[in-house]
Amino acid sequence: MSVSKSLSDTARLIVSGHNDSELMVLDANLQRVGYGVGRIEQGFPKGLYKLRATRGQAMQEQLLQLDRDQHIHMPLQPLTAIAPVGPVYGQWTSEIEALAEGARDAKGSKGLAAILFLAHRDREHAPDPIEGVRLQRWGNIAEEGARRSAGRGKKIGEEFWSAWATGLGPGGHQIDLGNGNLRQTLPVVAGFETRLFIRQALRGPAESTAAPLIELSLQMERPGMPVVYFDHFETIETARRAMEAERPIIVGESLVDELLHGKWQNPIMGITGAHLFLAALERERAASDGPSSRPVDLADRVRERAGSTLRMIIENLESIFGREASSDVLGLRLRARRFTSEHIAGTTIEQPPIFWSSWSALLAESGPNGSVTIPRSLWSRVANCFPSGPYFAWRKGRTSVDKQIDALLQARWQLAPAGAATPSIFKSFDAPPSPIDALDADPDAASRIADDIANALGAPRSLVEGWASRLTGGAKREGG
């Protein structure tokens, strides 16, 4: 085929959208042939394609017969939101702002940093999600700011809204929702208003007994700034969704500016943006080592300045938060050091992080030679942990890691019926009938089984150290 013939069979396609929207080009077999964040520009063979734009939970698709050079713009507004962003709630701005201001006026805690709760639900007679909220300073069993009455509420648009504000001193706090079935870290920083947006939607028909779906969006803002977010601040909702789904959307300079350098107004956005930026850097590095099903296309300047950008962002976040989010800042430092080459000394964390991504980074470094110590006192409080959206959450109740290990070992070596399949976490150790035999057969087995146990429990690796010596010691005592 001649060059002129080849060129005549192709066409230049530009697909553009919001800076934070993911764009895809699918061929006639629905195979992805193009991907980008904010913009795709490349040549494709002429033919039939499907274009797809995703932004948060909203998605738009369009069929395209590509027979000439074309530029397709796919703007996409969110259909729903937890935080009140302009495209969804802009027409009710004045009412939402008035509700929030009334709650602030009634908080009665002069001189303390404000925490604002703003909730909306789809049914009037559903329980107010703010009702029953409890706040407690981390490490102090005495409750602060306990909810004692319903929030200020009214119908706004098609939903039912409530608001409540209180004042607390700076520090790390714990929030309880639903009788302690959902607990999360709530940072309070001098000079900022902490905002927790809550959306509750009942599942199924009105008479359904299913538990309502509760979603949270944690943000911070300078006092007096609007509650309804417009312009580029709408990205807070898209970024929260992207972090929840682990979609690396920060690949261009515009989002670096919005999400990373915007931390001076919303420090939570700085942590979110840093994790999303690291996700993109990690995805690109993984793609360079082998095929990747979800590649990214980092702008050259973003890639070249990644190390210095990360160092600056993390140092600034540390100066803003201090000890109030030290676990998250440490998690970012650990995750970023592949790109910053920073040496990190051993540290003991004292309180849980805000984000699940931060916890994953801390957990990965909690081994005997790692940089992080997660003490038993902390793990016993948060062991019933799980990701709630992008956040680190846990359920009430203390847990003993020793009892957890005992239960796993009993399930593997004592309680499993004859001929039963071995649980996958111990698949490398099928032959020995007991952990003691495993140690006798392979001195390195203790370390590998300890890794499997820690992974199975989601527990700090350092906390399962020493279990082998306890088992062998007990066996020797029993054998006399």
Side-chain angles (χ1 to χ4, degrees), residues 267-303:
I268 293 293
M269 180 63 77
I271 299 176
T272 304
H275 275 301
L276 289 173
F277 186 37
L278 282 163
L281 293 171
E282 291 165 351
R283 185 71 56 79
E284 184 185 56
R285 179 166 291 190
S288 67
D289 295 336
S292 172
S293 60
R294 295 171 64 186
V296 296
D297 185 18
L298 284 169
D300 290 339
R301 279 176 55 84
V302 171
R303 182 189 305 104

mmCIF file of all heavy atoms in Angstrom, residues 267-303:
data_model
loop_
_atom_site.group_PDB
_atom_site.id
_atom_site.type_symbol
_atom_site.label_atom_id
_atom_site.label_comp_id
_atom_site.label_asym_id
_atom_site.label_seq_id
_atom_site.Cartn_x
_atom_site.Cartn_y
_atom_site.Cartn_z
ATOM 1 N N PRO A 267 -7.130 21.963 52.015
ATOM 2 C CA PRO A 267 -6.014 21.024 52.207
ATOM 3 C C PRO A 267 -6.378 19.570 51.929
ATOM 4 O O PRO A 267 -5.516 18.790 51.519
ATOM 5 C CB PRO A 267 -5.642 21.223 53.680
ATOM 6 C CG PRO A 267 -6.127 22.600 54.024
ATOM 7 C CD PRO A 267 -7.373 22.791 53.212
ATOM 8 N N ILE A 268 -7.636 19.201 52.157
ATOM 9 C CA ILE A 268 -8.045 17.828 51.853
ATOM 10 C C ILE A 268 -7.879 17.553 50.364
ATOM 11 O O ILE A 268 -7.485 16.458 49.949
ATOM 12 C CB ILE A 268 -9.500 17.587 52.285
ATOM 13 C CG1 ILE A 268 -9.622 17.632 53.808
ATOM 14 C CG2 ILE A 268 -10.012 16.257 51.748
ATOM 15 C CD1 ILE A 268 -8.913 16.497 54.519
ATOM 16 N N MET A 269 -8.165 18.571 49.547
ATOM 17 C CA MET A 269 -7.973 18.413 48.113
ATOM 18 C C MET A 269 -6.502 18.191 47.784
ATOM 19 O O MET A 269 -6.163 17.462 46.845
ATOM 20 C CB MET A 269 -8.499 19.638 47.368
ATOM 21 C CG MET A 269 -8.333 19.557 45.861
ATOM 22 S SD MET A 269 -9.267 18.203 45.145
ATOM 23 C CE MET A 269 -10.899 18.930 45.181
ATOM 24 N N GLY A 270 -5.610 18.791 48.571
ATOM 25 C CA GLY A 270 -4.189 18.581 48.341
ATOM 26 C C GLY A 270 -3.791 17.132 48.542
ATOM 27 O O GLY A 270 -3.016 16.570 47.766
ATOM 28 N N ILE A 271 -4.326 16.489 49.608
ATOM 29 C CA ILE A 271 -4.025 15.071 49.840
ATOM 30 C C ILE A 271 -4.629 14.219 48.735
ATOM 31 O O ILE A 271 -3.987 13.311 48.200
ATOM 32 C CB ILE A 271 -4.556 14.628 51.214
ATOM 33 C CG1 ILE A 271 -3.896 15.426 52.339
ATOM 34 C CG2 ILE A 271 -4.305 13.134 51.420
ATOM 35 C CD1 ILE A 271 -4.443 15.109 53.720
ATOM 36 N N THR A 272 -5.889 14.504 48.377
ATOM 37 C CA THR A 272 -6.556 13.764 47.305
ATOM 38 C C THR A 272 -5.766 13.871 46.005
ATOM 39 O O THR A 272 -5.485 12.872 45.332
ATOM 40 C CB THR A 272 -7.976 14.303 47.084
ATOM 41 O OG1 THR A 272 -8.705 14.245 48.299
ATOM 42 C CG2 THR A 272 -8.713 13.509 46.018
ATOM 43 N N GLY A 273 -5.397 15.107 45.651
ATOM 44 C CA GLY A 273 -4.671 15.333 44.410
ATOM 45 C C GLY A 273 -3.321 14.639 44.397
ATOM 46 O O GLY A 273 -2.907 14.085 43.374
ATOM 47 N N ALA A 274 -2.619 14.650 45.528
ATOM 48 C CA ALA A 274 -1.311 14.008 45.587
ATOM 49 C C ALA A 274 -1.439 12.506 45.355
ATOM 50 O O ALA A 274 -0.621 11.904 44.635
ATOM 51 C CB ALA A 274 -0.644 14.296 46.932
ATOM 52 N N HIS A 275 -2.444 11.869 45.953
ATOM 53 C CA HIS A 275 -2.634 10.435 45.729
ATOM 54 C C HIS A 275 -3.003 10.148 44.271
ATOM 55 O O HIS A 275 -2.527 9.161 43.687
ATOM 56 C CB HIS A 275 -3.720 9.899 46.661
ATOM 57 C CG HIS A 275 -3.223 9.517 48.024
ATOM 58 N ND1 HIS A 275 -2.238 8.567 48.219
ATOM 59 C CD2 HIS A 275 -3.571 9.957 49.261
ATOM 60 C CE1 HIS A 275 -2.002 8.432 49.517
ATOM 61 N NE2 HIS A 275 -2.797 9.264 50.178
ATOM 62 N N LEU A 276 -3.851 10.971 43.675
ATOM 63 C CA LEU A 276 -4.217 10.765 42.271
ATOM 64 C C LEU A 276 -3.015 10.981 41.353
ATOM 65 O O LEU A 276 -2.843 10.275 40.349
ATOM 66 C CB LEU A 276 -5.361 11.703 41.887
ATOM 67 C CG LEU A 276 -6.724 11.386 42.497
ATOM 68 C CD1 LEU A 276 -7.724 12.493 42.167
ATOM 69 C CD2 LEU A 276 -7.257 10.051 42.005
ATOM 70 N N PHE A 277 -2.202 11.966 41.673
ATOM 71 C CA PHE A 277 -0.991 12.217 40.899
ATOM 72 C C PHE A 277 -0.047 11.022 40.981
ATOM 73 O O PHE A 277 0.501 10.558 39.975
ATOM 74 C CB PHE A 277 -0.323 13.486 41.425
ATOM 75 C CG PHE A 277 0.864 13.955 40.627
ATOM 76 C CD1 PHE A 277 0.890 13.846 39.245
ATOM 77 C CD2 PHE A 277 1.959 14.514 41.263
ATOM 78 C CE1 PHE A 277 1.977 14.284 38.499
ATOM 79 C CE2 PHE A 277 3.049 14.966 40.533
ATOM 80 C CZ PHE A 277 3.067 14.851 39.153
ATOM 81 N N LEU A 278 0.122 10.476 42.191
ATOM 82 C CA LEU A 278 0.971 9.306 42.362
ATOM 83 C C LEU A 278 0.403 8.100 41.623
ATOM 84 O O LEU A 278 1.162 7.291 41.062
ATOM 85 C CB LEU A 278 1.123 8.994 43.852
ATOM 86 C CG LEU A 278 2.112 9.895 44.596
ATOM 87 C CD1 LEU A 278 1.912 9.809 46.095
ATOM 88 C CD2 LEU A 278 3.546 9.517 44.232
ATOM 89 N N ALA A 279 -0.930 7.969 41.608
ATOM 90 C CA ALA A 279 -1.543 6.861 40.866
ATOM 91 C C ALA A 279 -1.197 6.941 39.391
ATOM 92 O O ALA A 279 -0.915 5.921 38.742
ATOM 93 C CB ALA A 279 -3.056 6.871 41.072
ATOM 94 N N ALA A 280 -1.193 8.156 38.827
ATOM 95 C CA ALA A 280 -0.851 8.323 37.418
ATOM 96 C C ALA A 280 0.629 8.013 37.176
ATOM 97 O O ALA A 280 0.982 7.334 36.199
ATOM 98 C CB ALA A 280 -1.177 9.746 36.967
ATOM 99 N N LEU A 281 1.495 8.486 38.061
ATOM 100 C CA LEU A 281 2.925 8.208 37.907
ATOM 101 C C LEU A 281 3.205 6.718 38.010
ATOM 102 O O LEU A 281 4.007 6.162 37.241
ATOM 103 C CB LEU A 281 3.713 8.971 38.971
ATOM 104 C CG LEU A 281 3.717 10.498 38.865
ATOM 105 C CD1 LEU A 281 4.354 11.110 40.112
ATOM 106 C CD2 LEU A 281 4.453 10.962 37.615
ATOM 107 N N GLU A 282 2.560 6.057 38.952
ATOM 108 C CA GLU A 282 2.753 4.609 39.122
ATOM 109 C C GLU A 282 2.223 3.845 37.922
ATOM 110 O O GLU A 282 2.828 2.865 37.480
ATOM 111 C CB GLU A 282 2.064 4.146 40.402
ATOM 112 C CG GLU A 282 2.728 4.662 41.672
ATOM 113 C CD GLU A 282 1.841 4.514 42.903
ATOM 114 O OE1 GLU A 282 0.643 4.167 42.743
ATOM 115 O OE2 GLU A 282 2.321 4.760 44.008
ATOM 116 N N ARG A 283 1.080 4.268 37.386
ATOM 117 C CA ARG A 283 0.507 3.579 36.231
ATOM 118 C C ARG A 283 1.424 3.712 35.028
ATOM 119 O O ARG A 283 1.625 2.748 34.281
ATOM 120 C CB ARG A 283 -0.872 4.165 35.931
ATOM 121 C CG ARG A 283 -1.630 3.448 34.811
ATOM 122 C CD ARG A 283 -2.096 2.066 35.242
ATOM 123 N NE ARG A 283 -2.915 2.123 36.438
ATOM 124 C CZ ARG A 283 -4.195 2.470 36.456
ATOM 125 N NH1 ARG A 283 -4.796 2.799 35.334
ATOM 126 N NH2 ARG A 283 -4.875 2.466 37.591
ATOM 127 N N GLU A 284 1.990 4.898 34.831
ATOM 128 C CA GLU A 284 2.889 5.081 33.694
ATOM 129 C C GLU A 284 4.146 4.242 33.855
ATOM 130 O O GLU A 284 4.621 3.613 32.909
ATOM 131 C CB GLU A 284 3.270 6.551 33.547
ATOM 132 C CG GLU A 284 4.141 6.789 32.305
ATOM 133 C CD GLU A 284 4.638 8.215 32.214
ATOM 134 O OE1 GLU A 284 5.282 8.675 33.172
ATOM 135 O OE2 GLU A 284 4.417 8.849 31.175
ATOM 136 N N ARG A 285 4.684 4.192 35.081
ATOM 137 C CA ARG A 285 5.892 3.394 35.291
ATOM 138 C C ARG A 285 5.611 1.913 35.091
ATOM 139 O O ARG A 285 6.423 1.191 34.516
ATOM 140 C CB ARG A 285 6.443 3.657 36.691
ATOM 141 C CG ARG A 285 7.686 2.857 37.006
ATOM 142 C CD ARG A 285 8.406 3.377 38.233
ATOM 143 N NE ARG A 285 9.000 4.679 37.999
ATOM 144 C CZ ARG A 285 9.849 5.274 38.854
ATOM 145 N NH1 ARG A 285 10.194 4.658 39.975
ATOM 146 N NH2 ARG A 285 10.349 6.454 38.585
ATOM 147 N N ALA A 286 4.445 1.458 35.541
ATOM 148 C CA ALA A 286 4.079 0.057 35.339
ATOM 149 C C ALA A 286 3.932 -0.250 33.858
ATOM 150 O O ALA A 286 4.315 -1.328 33.393
ATOM 151 C CB ALA A 286 2.784 -0.264 36.089
ATOM 152 N N ALA A 287 3.372 0.683 33.094
ATOM 153 C CA ALA A 287 3.194 0.469 31.658
ATOM 154 C C ALA A 287 4.531 0.382 30.947
ATOM 155 O O ALA A 287 4.686 -0.350 29.969
ATOM 156 C CB ALA A 287 2.349 1.596 31.066
ATOM 157 N N SER A 288 5.533 1.116 31.447
ATOM 158 C CA SER A 288 6.847 1.071 30.807
ATOM 159 C C SER A 288 7.552 -0.254 31.069
ATOM 160 O O SER A 288 8.436 -0.655 30.322
ATOM 161 C CB SER A 288 7.724 2.221 31.322
ATOM 162 O OG SER A 288 8.026 2.046 32.694
ATOM 163 N N ASP A 289 7.146 -0.950 32.135
ATOM 164 C CA ASP A 289 7.747 -2.244 32.461
ATOM 165 C C ASP A 289 7.029 -3.408 31.785
ATOM 166 O O ASP A 289 7.504 -4.534 31.815
ATOM 167 C CB ASP A 289 7.734 -2.470 33.978
ATOM 168 C CG ASP A 289 8.609 -1.455 34.710
ATOM 169 O OD1 ASP A 289 9.534 -0.923 34.081
ATOM 170 O OD2 ASP A 289 8.334 -1.190 35.900
ATOM 171 N N GLY A 290 5.857 -3.153 31.230
ATOM 172 C CA GLY A 290 5.086 -4.210 30.585
ATOM 173 C C GLY A 290 3.752 -3.683 30.126
ATOM 174 O O GLY A 290 3.420 -2.518 30.358
ATOM 175 N N PRO A 291 2.956 -4.497 29.443
ATOM 176 C CA PRO A 291 1.669 -4.025 28.941
ATOM 177 C C PRO A 291 0.741 -3.624 30.082
ATOM 178 O O PRO A 291 0.715 -4.246 31.139
ATOM 179 C CB PRO A 291 1.119 -5.240 28.174
ATOM 180 C CG PRO A 291 1.839 -6.412 28.767
ATOM 181 C CD PRO A 291 3.192 -5.920 29.147
ATOM 182 N N SER A 292 -0.026 -2.552 29.872
ATOM 183 C CA SER A 292 -0.977 -2.069 30.882
ATOM 184 C C SER A 292 -2.339 -1.927 30.241
ATOM 185 O O SER A 292 -2.466 -1.428 29.123
ATOM 186 C CB SER A 292 -0.532 -0.717 31.447
ATOM 187 O OG SER A 292 -1.536 -0.176 32.277
ATOM 188 N N SER A 293 -3.381 -2.400 30.930
ATOM 189 C CA SER A 293 -4.733 -2.308 30.377
ATOM 190 C C SER A 293 -5.310 -0.913 30.533
ATOM 191 O O SER A 293 -6.300 -0.583 29.911
ATOM 192 C CB SER A 293 -5.654 -3.324 31.068
ATOM 193 O OG SER A 293 -5.722 -3.064 32.454
ATOM 194 N N ARG A 294 -4.699 -0.086 31.393
ATOM 195 C CA ARG A 294 -5.216 1.267 31.621
ATOM 196 C C ARG A 294 -4.045 2.241 31.595
ATOM 197 O O ARG A 294 -3.585 2.715 32.630
ATOM 198 C CB ARG A 294 -5.956 1.335 32.956
ATOM 199 C CG ARG A 294 -7.211 0.490 32.998
ATOM 200 C CD ARG A 294 -7.765 0.415 34.400
ATOM 201 N NE ARG A 294 -8.203 1.714 34.894
ATOM 202 C CZ ARG A 294 -8.623 1.913 36.148
ATOM 203 N NH1 ARG A 294 -8.628 0.923 37.001
ATOM 204 N NH2 ARG A 294 -9.018 3.102 36.529
ATOM 205 N N PRO A 295 -3.526 2.550 30.413
ATOM 206 C CA PRO A 295 -2.371 3.436 30.329
ATOM 207 C C PRO A 295 -2.759 4.876 30.655
ATOM 208 O O PRO A 295 -3.930 5.230 30.690
ATOM 209 C CB PRO A 295 -1.942 3.302 28.864
ATOM 210 C CG PRO A 295 -3.225 2.996 28.143
ATOM 211 C CD PRO A 295 -4.014 2.139 29.093
ATOM 212 N N VAL A 296 -1.752 5.686 30.905
ATOM 213 C CA VAL A 296 -1.969 7.109 31.100
ATOM 214 C C VAL A 296 -1.060 7.851 30.134
ATOM 215 O O VAL A 296 -0.097 7.293 29.609
ATOM 216 C CB VAL A 296 -1.676 7.549 32.553
ATOM 217 C CG1 VAL A 296 -2.635 6.892 33.516
ATOM 218 C CG2 VAL A 296 -0.235 7.227 32.940
ATOM 219 N N ASP A 297 -1.363 9.099 29.905
ATOM 220 C CA ASP A 297 -0.592 9.908 28.970
ATOM 221 C C ASP A 297 -0.191 11.184 29.687
ATOM 222 O O ASP A 297 -0.823 12.226 29.552
ATOM 223 C CB ASP A 297 -1.416 10.210 27.717
ATOM 224 C CG ASP A 297 -0.601 10.941 26.656
ATOM 225 O OD1 ASP A 297 0.643 10.901 26.759
ATOM 226 O OD2 ASP A 297 -1.202 11.546 25.754
ATOM 227 N N LEU A 298 0.879 11.114 30.482
ATOM 228 C CA LEU A 298 1.322 12.264 31.250
ATOM 229 C C LEU A 298 1.921 13.325 30.336
ATOM 230 O O LEU A 298 2.677 13.012 29.404
ATOM 231 C CB LEU A 298 2.370 11.845 32.280
ATOM 232 C CG LEU A 298 1.885 11.124 33.541
ATOM 233 C CD1 LEU A 298 3.067 10.562 34.304
ATOM 234 C CD2 LEU A 298 1.099 12.082 34.417
ATOM 235 N N ALA A 299 1.588 14.568 30.611
ATOM 236 C CA ALA A 299 2.228 15.664 29.898
ATOM 237 C C ALA A 299 3.716 15.674 30.235
ATOM 238 O O ALA A 299 4.119 15.363 31.354
ATOM 239 C CB ALA A 299 1.586 16.993 30.299
ATOM 240 N N ASP A 300 4.544 16.043 29.260
ATOM 241 C CA ASP A 300 5.992 15.987 29.447
ATOM 242 C C ASP A 300 6.443 16.811 30.645
ATOM 243 O O ASP A 300 7.260 16.364 31.453
ATOM 244 C CB ASP A 300 6.701 16.465 28.184
ATOM 245 C CG ASP A 300 6.544 15.486 27.031
ATOM 246 O OD1 ASP A 300 6.248 14.301 27.310
ATOM 247 O OD2 ASP A 300 6.704 15.897 25.865
ATOM 248 N N ARG A 301 5.911 18.046 30.772
ATOM 249 C CA ARG A 301 6.338 18.903 31.886
ATOM 250 C C ARG A 301 5.908 18.326 33.229
ATOM 251 O O ARG A 301 6.612 18.461 34.227
ATOM 252 C CB ARG A 301 5.760 20.310 31.707
ATOM 253 C CG ARG A 301 6.561 21.172 30.746
ATOM 254 C CD ARG A 301 5.893 22.518 30.519
ATOM 255 N NE ARG A 301 5.639 23.238 31.759
ATOM 256 C CZ ARG A 301 6.545 23.995 32.394
ATOM 257 N NH1 ARG A 301 7.769 24.102 31.904
ATOM 258 N NH2 ARG A 301 6.229 24.642 33.497
ATOM 259 N N VAL A 302 4.745 17.682 33.248
ATOM 260 C CA VAL A 302 4.284 17.063 34.491
ATOM 261 C C VAL A 302 5.219 15.935 34.894
ATOM 262 O O VAL A 302 5.600 15.797 36.058
ATOM 263 C CB VAL A 302 2.842 16.542 34.320
ATOM 264 C CG1 VAL A 302 2.431 15.700 35.518
ATOM 265 C CG2 VAL A 302 1.875 17.712 34.141
ATOM 266 N N ARG A 303 5.611 15.117 33.929
ATOM 267 C CA ARG A 303 6.509 14.004 34.217
ATOM 268 C C ARG A 303 7.874 14.501 34.663
ATOM 269 O O ARG A 303 8.452 14.000 35.631
ATOM 270 C CB ARG A 303 6.657 13.129 32.976
ATOM 271 C CG ARG A 303 7.539 11.909 33.177
ATOM 272 C CD ARG A 303 7.840 11.183 31.881
ATOM 273 N NE ARG A 303 6.635 10.801 31.169
ATOM 274 C CZ ARG A 303 6.171 11.428 30.085
ATOM 275 N NH1 ARG A 303 6.829 12.494 29.601
ATOM 276 N NH2 ARG A 303 5.086 11.016 29.482
#
